[in-house]
């Protein structure tokens, strides 16, 4: 999943030089992923016959695009002047339409979520791109099982368009003064999210002990379990 710190030229060189696509055993999947990933950092893969995963490059849509990625872009011109950078919106709509025709479902994964920044309420995407994305995803809401994003380093559960659930995953990095955390996700036999457990470490305790010249060890502890907190009965796709 491409994020704003990946410095595209270096990422592209890594994939091309090491031919990391060969990790995929299915030749058809290799060619499909390679074609769209090298074009714009997006692709589709399968968890099973009924469940797909679409990975999007939402850095294109960021209000901070020029500051985040001004050292290297996919195109000579600024992508923000394009109505559909890397043709990703068109590809997304075509791909979702195909998934719907096959009676399948899909997870959407991306780094920067749509909506506002929870820290200061500023918009994360340019409005034009946000509206296009909302229209496409709402149109195919029946087949979108879950959206998963990062970027904000915060633990959030959002609902888009009053229908589309989204999980925001907190970070292991404390760069935004958040406690480092990670999430252990449990899938059922059909690869749907059954529940997850959130873990964190309290850095204030760690540094307080260091200041007192006491033994200080970073230890992760359980914060909560989704099923326990929200009291949801397991089913085919409980978090949705």
């Amino acid at each position: 999943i491409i994020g704003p710190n990946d410095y595209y030229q270096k990422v592209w060189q890594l994939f091309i030089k090491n031919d990391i696509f060969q990790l995929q055993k299915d030749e058809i999947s290799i060619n499909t992923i390679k074609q769209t990933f090298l074009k714009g950092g997006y692709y589709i893969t399968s968890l099973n016959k009924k469940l797909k995963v679409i990975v999007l490059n939402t850095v294109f849509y960021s209000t901070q695009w020029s500051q985040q990625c001004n050292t290297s872009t996919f195109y000579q011109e600024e992508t923000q002047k394009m109505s559909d950078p890397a043709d990703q919106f068109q590809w997304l709509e075509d791909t979702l339409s195909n998934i719907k025709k096959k009676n399948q479902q899909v997870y959407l994964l991306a780094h920067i979520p749509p909506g506002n920044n929870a820290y200061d309420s500023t918009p994360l995407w340019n409005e034009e791109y946000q509206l296009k994305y909302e229209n496409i995803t709402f149109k195919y809401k029946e087949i979108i099982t879950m959206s998963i994003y990062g970027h904000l380093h915060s633990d959030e559960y959002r609902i888009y368009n009053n229908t589309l659930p989204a999980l925001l995953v907190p970070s292991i990095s404390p760069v935004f003064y958040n406690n480092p955390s990670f999430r252990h996700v449990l899938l059922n036999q059909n690869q749907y999210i059954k529940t997850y457990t959130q873990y964190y470490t309290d850095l204030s305790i760690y540094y307080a002990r260091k200041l007192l010249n006491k033994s200080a060890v970073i230890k992760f502890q359980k914060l909560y379990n989704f099923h326990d907190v929200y009291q949801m009965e397991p089913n085919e796709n409980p978090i949705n």
Side-chain angles (χ1 to χ4, degrees), residues 63-82:
T63 54
Q64 302 297 316
W65 164 261
S66 58
Q67 291 92 332
Q68 291 169 341
C69 305
N70 58 8
T71 57
S72 172
T73 62
F74 292 109
Y75 303 99
Q76 294 298 318
E77 61 184 304
E78 295 180 25
T79 55
Q80 285 191 340
K81 294 179 181 178
M82 300 179 178

Side-chain angles (χ1 to χ4, degrees), residues 13-178:
Q13 291 171 3
L14 172 66
F15 274 78
I16 294 171
K17 288 181 179 180
N18 297 326
D19 204 7
I20 200 168
F21 297 100
Q22 295 303 322
L23 294 175
Q24 284 275 355
K25 296 181 180 180
D26 182 355
E27 186 173 347
I28 297 178
S29 296
I30 294 173
N31 294 332
T32 301
I33 293 173
K34 192 171 185 178
Q35 179 181 7
T36 56
F37 186 86
L38 292 181
K39 180 177 183 179
Y42 56 90
Y43 60 93
I44 183 172
T45 188
S46 301
L47 289 178
N48 54 50
K49 292 181 179 180
K50 299 292 289 184
L51 186 58
K52 303 289 185 180
V53 176
I54 288 179
V55 177
L56 298 171
N57 177 8
T58 56
V59 180
F60 284 137
Y61 313 138
S62 170
T63 54
Q64 302 297 316
W65 164 261
S66 58
Q67 291 92 332
Q68 291 169 341
C69 305
N70 58 8
T71 57
S72 172
T73 62
F74 292 109
Y75 303 99
Q76 294 298 318
E77 61 184 304
E78 295 180 25
T79 55
Q80 285 191 340
K81 294 179 181 178
M82 300 179 178
S83 60
D84 187 6
D87 301 320
Q88 185 171 224
F89 282 132
Q90 186 61 58
W91 174 85
L92 176 61
E93 178 143 26
D94 293 343
T95 303
L96 289 174
S97 176
N98 188 47
I99 291 172
K100 185 175 182 178
K101 290 176 182 177
K102 294 180 179 180
N103 196 30
Q104 298 170 331
Q105 290 186 306
V106 63
Y107 284 124
L108 296 182
L109 275 61
H111 184 83
I112 302 177
N116 289 350
N117 189 326
Y119 292 99
D120 57 14
S121 298
T122 56
L124 294 166
W125 288 20
N126 285 291
E127 185 178 7
E128 174 190 358
Y129 298 142
Q130 170 113 7
L131 291 174
K132 286 185 177 181
Y133 186 73
E134 287 178 352
N135 288 337
I136 294 172
T137 52
F138 186 75
K139 181 179 178 180
Y140 295 98
K141 62 183 182 297
E142 295 86 359
I143 63 169
I144 299 174
T145 296
M146 176 67 66
S147 297
I148 302 174
Y149 306 98
H151 189 61
L152 294 180
H153 295 219
S154 59
D155 180 3
E156 298 181 38
Y157 186 89
R158 296 187 177 188
I159 303 292
Y160 292 106
N161 283 334
N162 295 318
T163 56
L164 296 169
L167 295 175
L168 270 64
V169 182
S171 70
I172 201 75
S173 166
V175 67
F176 290 136
Y177 306 104
N178 55 284

